[in-house]
Each structure stands twice: as structure tokens, then as C-alpha cells.
Amino acid sequence: MIENQAKKQKHREDLRLAILEAAKKLFVQEGYEATSIRKIAKEIGFSPTTIYLYYRDKNDIAYALHQEGFLLLRDRFMALMSVDNPFERLKAIGRNYIDFAFQNPDYYQVMFMMKEPMTFLDMHCVEEEWPEGKRVLDFLLGTVQECQAAGLFTNMHPSLLAFQAWSTVHGLVTLYITHHLSKITETFAIDFNAKELVSQTFEQYISFLDRIK
Amino acid sequence: MIENQAKKQKHREDLRLAILEAAKKLFVQEGYEATSIRKIAKEIGFSPTTIYLYYRDKNDIAYALHQEGFLLLRDRFMALMSVDNPFERLKAIGRNYIDFAFQNPDYYQVMFMMKEPMTFLDMHCVEEEWPEGKRVLDFLLGTVQECQAAGLFTNMHPSLLAFQAWSTVHGLVTLYITHHLSKITETFAIDFNAKELVSQTFEQYISFLDRIK
DNA sequence: TTTATTTACTTAACACTGTTAAGTAGTTTT
DNA sequence: AAAACTACTTAACAGTGTTAAGTAAATAAA
């Protein structure tokens, strides 16, 4: 009954996917903390312990959501492959990264701000380090290297510049997401709201790069 | 019995402080998540519900720890007041900020990465927005303005530059603290460890400022 | 001095959380 | 027909933040 076994296998994958879909629904509606195993179970109509037949633990689910987020981000970045000018593409990557974080703060959280998916990688996926992160960073690094091939940022280490660009936008969006920024905007004495402050500061960073290139 | 009332008041403050000290001990030993109300209560030898006579809820305790962290950071920044050259002071602020985060990752977390202390401020302290953050940012902003008075960064908005400097170091240290950085260092193909990568990237940012000033 | 009230704290409980051990129908294999 | 395996459930453990209700002691009022 090989055919039947294949059907069983398919059913297994279906339920695993149904769990993920339920988790995603709760996650985007109410955030990670409010997404409990029991709520996911109720959503799919199974008992809570069934979840553990398809996912090791909650960190496993966190990592699955983490991967889902990276699929969304990859779609955005794929669209930027058509931008030929590498410096223009670098700017576009930054703007899209910020926009992604604004539009999907919960995904951003599980992708770049939570330790749970990382500890899951540590515990159960020894072969590769962090494939999702690596892919995104490679795209960024490649763009920086293309900039250098075009004669820009020539006296810099490409990895250091890529990492700086990443941590710059990461710093901006995390301060926004954690609500630290909205509590401090009037200290800065500009009539920007928090989102505008993020965007304007990124544009200023771009102008830094422009003057340094 | 006014004298007696004063004694009672002092006792109240003593216990409130004892709770905070117990919370701090557990917090630095095992992190915020592992610091439960029940554990704090056991530490001071009272029942869990007693905590609620001195702190509204766990967010209140999170905010108290948040404040403790800012006291530690302020001590570091106080020592930098003696640095006369504002650009040198700006660099020193950044290096000290990074060093503080490396040495006190849990405090950094509760100060700049968690929403709980911020939501507590939102709910119960309407008068002032975020005094701790404001004080730190004012010190940074003041230093930037002194730089401008000395003829540096003249064609820039001081608040935007201050915010950029802050979010740059914040981005660096948060990627380090959440273990995202250690999972990606070999992608960057440099023989730096995660801490060195943070430091080197900051030094590169400094050299950016140096060339732009 | 006796009664009433306030203070400081505790016990018990609610409604959750992630996770595991043990058990149970139903299907498949022997 | 009997044994074995699959897919799932019930019950439970050990914890979480938080609140309502109760208690003993200290103080204030009669």
C-alpha cells in the first residue's frame, strides 16, 4: 500500500500546514505572546497535544512564523532585482525593509527581535546556521559589492558596510516597533511623527552614503 | 503620633525597596522572563499578593528595573561630562553605550527593547512622557549641538543626527543581544566575532561622521 | 478600658500558560 | 483472528499574573 502511505504523508503535511495557518491567523491578529498552543488547537478543532505531534514545541512554531515572514520579505526584495543601478537598489532595499517592518510589525518581531526562533535553530538545526537571514544578507552584500564594482565605497570592507546599513534600518524600526520612538519625538523638537522620523533619518543616512561614496 | 506615621511610611518604602532589590537579583541572575512575582515573594519571605500592595502589576516592576538600568547608564555618561571636545565626547558616548549593552544585556533589554515599561508609562504616568529616555537623548542632542557650535555637521538637523547616532548603536547592540549576529558572522566573511563586528562597525560609522563633518 | 476602625498581610481561587505520560479507538500488518 | 502501529485524546504537572475575601495586630474613638 505505497499509495496509501503517500496519502498518509500528505495528510500529515496538510495538518502541519493547517496548524501553521491557524498560528499565522492568531499571530497577525493578536501577536505572538497571545498565540497559545491551546488557542491554535481550538482554531483547527484538535486537542492541544496534537500540535506536539507536528511541531516540537512553541519555539518550533515561532521558527515557522519566522520563516513565513522571510517569504514575505523575499517577495519584496525579488521585485528589486530589476533595479540595475546598485546604489539605487541599495536605497530601495532600505526603504522596502523599513516599509515591511511598518506593515508587518509582528512578523518583524519574530524575524529579527525574538530569541526563540534563534534558540530553536541552535537546538535542532545544526547543519545550517540561519538560512533565511543569510539569504537576505547575501542580497544586501551582493548589492554593496556591485556598488564597489561600479566604483563606489571602494576603500571600505563590503561586509562592514552591509552590516552597518542593516543595523541602521534595524535600529530605526525596532525603536519604532517597541514604542520607544513615539515617547521621545517631541524631545527632538521636530514636527515629525514617529514613522516620518524613521523615514527622514534613513534618507539622511542615504545622503551620508551619497557624500562618502 | 506623627512620628509613628513617619516610621510607617519609612517601613513602606523599605519593603518597596526590598521587593525591587529581590527583583533585581533574580533579574540579573536569570533575566526578566524568569523573574516571577512568586519568586520575588519567596526571595523576600512574603506572600505573592503582598507585592501588589507596593507595585501595581508586573509592568510596574519592569518599569522600576528599567529605571535602575538608566541609573547605571547615567553613571557612565556622567563620567563623560569631563570630555571637553564635543566630537570626542560623541564618540565616547557611542562606545560607552555599546559597552553598557554588552555588560548589562538584561538591563538593556528592559530599557530599550521591551514594550512593558513603555505601556506602564502610557497607563499610569501621564504627566511626563519618558523622563529617563529624554535625559539620555538630551545629553546626546546637547553634544551634537556643541559639535555644531564648533563648526561640525553644520548643514544637518541636530535632532536627526542625534537620532541617527542613537539608532545606529541601538541596531548594532540589539542584533548582538538577540543572537542574530552570531548566526551570521561567517556570512560576512570576516574573522571577527560578534562583539568585534559591533565595535568595528561603530568605528566605521565614526569614520563616516569624520569624513562628513 | 472597651469598642470600632484601619493597617498589613495571607489564603484561596480564577483563568490561564507550555508540556508530558498514559490511554484509546481505528487502521494496518502479520 | 491476533498483534502492531497510527492518530489522536484525556488527565495531569508545574508553573504564570492577578483578584476577592479573610485574619490578626495596631491604632483611634467611645
Side-chain angles (χ1 to χ4, degrees):
Chain A
M1 305 293 137
I2 293 168
E3 218 176 294
N4 222 326
Q5 271 193 350
K7 235 175 196 173
K8 277 287 162 62
Q9 193 60 34
K10 195 177 176 306
H11 177 250
R12 260 202 81 79
E13 279 158 24
D14 280 353
L15 192 44
R16 196 181 146 88
L17 208 79
I19 292 168
L20 182 57
E21 288 301 314
K24 268 164 70 177
K25 184 186 167 187
L26 290 165
F27 170 73
V28 298
Q29 271 173 13
E30 318 188 46
Y32 179 76
E33 289 294 289
T35 304
S36 72
I37 301 284
R38 281 173 170 85
K39 282 184 193 167
I40 297 169
K42 184 165 275 181
E43 187 74 31
I44 56 166
F46 286 85
S47 92
T49 47
T50 303
I51 310 282
Y52 288 89
L53 302 172
Y54 297 87
Y55 290 91
R56 286 183 108 96
D57 51 28
K58 214 195 168 185
N59 288 351
D60 196 350
I61 294 170
Y63 183 63
L65 292 169
H66 168 107
Q67 287 177 309
E68 288 290 309
F70 272 94
L71 290 181
L72 294 177
L73 186 61
R74 197 182 61 172
D75 285 347
R76 279 174 172 268
F77 284 177
M78 287 279 262
L80 302 179
M81 304 265 258
S82 61
V83 181
D84 286 332
N85 184 318
F87 189 43
E88 290 304 319
R89 196 192 313 142
L90 189 67
K91 298 178 197 173
I93 289 172
R95 292 190 190 110
N96 268 273
Y97 189 97
I98 290 168
D99 199 53
F100 172 81
F102 282 168
Q103 285 182 18
N104 312 283
D106 292 303
Y107 273 118
Y108 192 87
Q109 205 142 198
V110 86
M111 289 161 76
F112 295 112
M113 300 167 76
M114 277 171 46
K115 62 183 188 319
E116 284 87 344
M118 289 313 183
T119 56
F120 179 79
L121 271 172
D122 276 330
M123 306 278 259
H124 308 295
C125 309
V126 278
E127 36 168 320
E128 244 190 307
E129 289 274 13
W130 181 30
E132 295 82 20
K134 184 168 162 40
R135 233 171 281 140
V136 169
L137 266 294
D138 274 341
F139 182 51
L140 178 61
L141 186 58
T143 302
V144 168
Q145 284 165 336
E146 280 187 56
C147 285
Q148 293 190 317
L152 277 60
F153 317 118
T154 44
N155 58 347
M156 267 175 250
H157 195 302
S159 299
L160 277 187
L161 182 55
F163 178 51
Q164 190 193 72
W166 178 32
S167 65
T168 295
V169 288
H170 174 72
L172 289 169
V173 300
T174 50
L175 286 171
Y176 172 82
I177 288 174
T178 57
H179 301 123
H180 284 75
L181 197 46
S182 58
K183 289 237 153 307
I184 210 80
T185 41
E186 80 282 0
T187 296
F188 284 117
I190 326 180
D191 53 350
F192 288 152
N193 62 36
K195 265 188 184 175
E196 288 167 345
L197 185 53
V198 169
S199 296
Q200 286 300 315
T201 309
F202 177 68
E203 293 305 320
Q204 190 194 233
Y205 177 70
I206 292 294
S207 81
F208 270 41
L209 292 181
D210 226 353
R211 290 165 67 178
I212 276 171
K213 72 184 178 194
Chain B
M1 304 298 136
I2 296 167
E3 216 176 294
N4 222 328
Q5 272 193 347
K7 235 174 195 171
K8 276 286 161 64
Q9 193 61 35
K10 194 180 177 302
H11 177 250
R12 261 202 79 81
E13 281 158 21
D14 280 354
L15 192 43
R16 197 181 146 89
L17 209 78
I19 292 168
L20 181 57
E21 289 301 314
K24 268 164 69 178
K25 185 185 164 186
L26 290 165
F27 169 73
V28 297
Q29 272 174 11
E30 319 188 47
Y32 178 78
E33 288 295 288
T35 304
S36 72
I37 301 284
R38 283 173 169 85
K39 283 184 193 167
I40 296 169
K42 183 164 274 183
E43 186 75 30
I44 57 167
F46 285 85
S47 93
T49 49
T50 303
I51 309 282
Y52 289 87
L53 302 171
Y54 298 87
Y55 291 90
R56 286 182 109 97
D57 51 27
K58 215 194 167 185
N59 289 351
D60 196 350
I61 294 171
Y63 182 63
L65 292 168
H66 168 106
Q67 285 178 308
E68 287 289 310
F70 272 94
L71 289 181
L72 295 176
L73 186 59
R74 197 182 61 173
D75 286 346
R76 278 174 175 271
F77 284 177
M78 288 279 261
L80 302 180
M81 304 266 258
S82 61
V83 181
D84 286 329
N85 184 319
F87 189 44
E88 290 303 318
R89 197 191 314 140
L90 188 66
K91 297 177 198 172
I93 289 173
R95 292 189 190 110
N96 267 273
Y97 189 98
I98 290 169
D99 199 53
F100 172 82
F102 282 168
Q103 283 180 19
N104 312 283
D106 292 303
Y107 273 118
Y108 192 87
Q109 204 142 197
V110 86
M111 289 162 76
F112 295 112
M113 299 167 75
M114 276 171 47
K115 61 183 190 317
E116 284 87 344
M118 290 312 184
T119 56
F120 178 79
L121 271 172
D122 276 331
M123 307 280 258
H124 309 294
C125 309
V126 278
E127 36 170 316
E128 245 189 308
E129 287 276 14
W130 181 31
E132 295 82 19
K134 184 168 160 41
R135 233 171 280 141
V136 168
L137 267 293
D138 273 341
F139 182 50
L140 178 61
L141 186 58
T143 301
V144 167
Q145 283 166 335
E146 280 188 55
C147 285
Q148 293 189 318
L152 277 58
F153 316 117
T154 44
N155 57 347
M156 268 175 247
H157 196 302
S159 298
L160 277 187
L161 182 55
F163 178 51
Q164 190 192 70
W166 178 31
S167 65
T168 294
V169 289
H170 174 73
L172 288 170
V173 301
T174 49
L175 286 172
Y176 173 82
I177 287 173
T178 56
H179 302 122
H180 284 75
L181 198 46
S182 58
K183 288 238 154 307
I184 210 83
T185 41
E186 81 282 358
T187 297
F188 285 116
I190 326 180
D191 52 350
F192 288 152
N193 61 37
K195 266 189 183 174
E196 288 168 345
L197 184 54
V198 169
S199 297
Q200 286 300 314
T201 309
F202 177 67
E203 292 307 319
Q204 191 194 234
Y205 177 70
I206 292 294
S207 82
F208 270 40
L209 293 181
D210 226 354
R211 290 166 68 179
I212 278 171
K213 72 183 178 194

